[in-house]
Amino acid sequence: MSKNKTKTVFTCTDCGHETGRWLGKCPGCGEFNTFEETVAIAKKVGAAIGRPGLTSTKATKLGEIKSIEGDKFATGLTELDRVLSGGIVPGSLMLLGGEPGIGKSTILLQICQNKDFTILYVSGEESPGQITLRAERLGDFGEDIYILAESDLATIEAEIRKYSPQLLIIDSIQTMVHSDLTSAAGSVTQVRESTAFFMRMAKERGMATIIVGHVTKEGAIAGPKILEHMVDCVLYFEGERHGGFRVIRAVKNRFGSTGEIGIFEMDEKGLKAIANPSEYMLTGRPINAPGSVITCAMEGSRPILAEVQALVASTKAPNPRRVVSGMDFNRVNMLLAMLEKRCRLYLSQADSYVNIAGGMKLSEPAADLAAIAAIASSYKNNPINHESLIFGEVGLTGEVRSVNFAQQRINEGAKLGFKEIIIPQANLKGLKRPEGVKVLGVSSISELLSLIIG
């Protein structure tokens, strides 16, 4: 049997672009000094090099193919099932990313609880004893859960064929090694080939597979971007590592909606689903304190109330500080510039701090109006009514633009007892006002400030 030929290539560690020689700048992503030398396997002509995951060599009529939608199985965590639109699909490949210590291994073990089928948990980072120690803290487990501390793909494949698990967990993909490649574990080539291997095994055997991915300092999953394109579902695990609040966010899901989030609380017995995240987020908030405003953000199909906090303090430094947590830094800088230009609040002479309480991260522009109100409230040292809810997008000219799902946001605020809700003027048309709730519309940030501060 002839061996496959090998050749040396240079691979970008950021985007996975390959070239036959070293380059200072990657033509794919534009980054400098990101190429590393790797050895690629060149299979001879006639070898089975088809696309991974194909289980049929001929076309089939669409009407003759059975849908797999009804074959989903629940994870046992209601919030995670919500994110996955009902559960895990057999034969799917999921990627779970998150910072170290956030609780990835914990939630994977909780998924293994109370299952009546075979599960293979492969760890390249921990020993079986360490995994058992965590499992004892979480509670009881079934008899058909197998732990394998291994990183070699050939050994893992042998164990998969031996036990034929319905669920395979890989912790983590950066530790897996293909013995035919000379590059180190965690390199672009190793990560890409290992993911392709597990994708092929998942599709051919109908085995649901969850792989854990490390993240970079920017918060993105480490490795080439093609890694996220290869898998069926990408989940990000977010939250403050030393706090109790955790969020699982679906940024890609071939079997359901994207953008959905699940809210969890970490305690000594693992992760516990939070049924009412809005109420949880507002627990302990200050009453009638300057710089504190409640807004409503849409996470997938779910409205969630969050507290926007701002602190503005005068400074004599030539370059005032700008610190933002939970919102986009550049967008907050834009809002500060608008307040100075349109409303004559001299924020260039003050340090400004903006924070989303509880560790939430708000990415949608509907939080603009609440951030504007919180900054102005702190600047004027004038508290805003604690029964007020504010949301809306703000444009560069100071206008307040309409947002989606205004009715759902209002209903969520009314359910939690807010008596005054300030929204964009354009969203008032056709709106159903809940009983006992005053809904006010504003068309500019000056209107908002005159309404809440005077």
Side-chain angles (χ1 to χ4, degrees), residues 256-316:
S257 59
T258 58
E260 292 288 350
I261 68 168
I263 313 293
F264 297 89
E265 183 180 13
M266 177 70 82
D267 58 21
E268 64 276 3
K269 292 187 178 181
L271 291 162
K272 180 176 64 176
I274 299 176
N276 192 339
S278 294
E279 185 176 9
Y280 177 86
M281 291 292 295
L282 300 183
T283 302
R285 72 183 179 99
I287 303 299
N288 293 328
S292 175
V293 177
I294 306 302
T295 190
C296 185
M298 291 297 299
E299 296 291 351
S301 60
R302 168 188 285 182
I304 296 181
L305 302 189
E307 181 187 1
V308 183
Q309 296 180 336
L311 175 63
V312 179
S314 60
T315 180
K316 295 182 180 179

Side-chain angles (χ1 to χ4, degrees), residues 1-19:
M1 181 178 179
S2 60
K3 295 183 178 179
N4 295 325
K5 295 181 180 180
T6 61
K7 65 175 181 178
T8 300
V9 296
F10 293 86
T11 307
C12 175
T13 56
D14 282 0
C15 68
H17 181 84
E18 291 185 353
T19 179

Side-chain angles (χ1 to χ4, degrees), residues 229-416:
H229 293 290
M230 294 168 67
V231 301
D232 298 312
C233 183
V234 180
L235 303 177
Y236 275 89
F237 210 4
E238 304 170 350
E240 297 294 336
R241 183 171 58 176
H242 301 293
F245 184 71
R246 300 288 189 274
V247 174
I248 286 187
R249 187 185 309 272
V251 298
K252 175 185 177 181
N253 189 1
R254 287 176 178 160
F255 310 109
S257 59
T258 58
E260 292 288 350
I261 68 168
I263 313 293
F264 297 89
E265 183 180 13
M266 177 70 82
D267 58 21
E268 64 276 3
K269 292 187 178 181
L271 291 162
K272 180 176 64 176
I274 299 176
N276 192 339
S278 294
E279 185 176 9
Y280 177 86
M281 291 292 295
L282 300 183
T283 302
R285 72 183 179 99
I287 303 299
N288 293 328
S292 175
V293 177
I294 306 302
T295 190
C296 185
M298 291 297 299
E299 296 291 351
S301 60
R302 168 188 285 182
I304 296 181
L305 302 189
E307 181 187 1
V308 183
Q309 296 180 336
L311 175 63
V312 179
S314 60
T315 180
K316 295 182 180 179
N319 297 313
R321 287 176 59 83
R322 301 283 186 263
V323 179
V324 180
S325 177
M327 291 185 69
D328 182 67
F329 178 79
N330 293 324
R331 191 160 191 90
V332 172
N333 274 335
M334 181 188 73
L335 299 178
L336 292 170
M338 276 192 294
L339 280 171
E340 180 148 5
K341 177 73 173 180
R342 310 295 177 190
C343 302
R344 296 184 179 180
L345 301 185
Y346 300 110
L347 297 167
S348 59
Q349 303 172 9
D351 294 333
S352 300
Y353 306 86
V354 177
N355 174 53
I356 306 299
M360 276 288 291
K361 294 181 180 179
L362 303 183
S363 57
E364 67 164 346
D368 290 352
L369 207 58
I372 288 276
I375 294 168
S377 170
S378 179
Y379 181 86
K380 296 285 189 180
N381 200 32
N382 192 345
I384 295 174
N385 183 6
H386 69 279
E387 293 185 336
S388 294
L389 175 69
I390 302 174
F391 62 84
E393 181 182 353
V394 178
L396 283 176
T397 61
E399 82 280 10
V400 179
R401 308 177 72 90
S402 63
V403 297
N404 296 327
F405 307 106
Q407 189 68 62
Q408 289 92 319
R409 299 174 200 258
I410 291 173
N411 294 341
E412 182 73 8
K415 185 174 71 176
L416 290 178

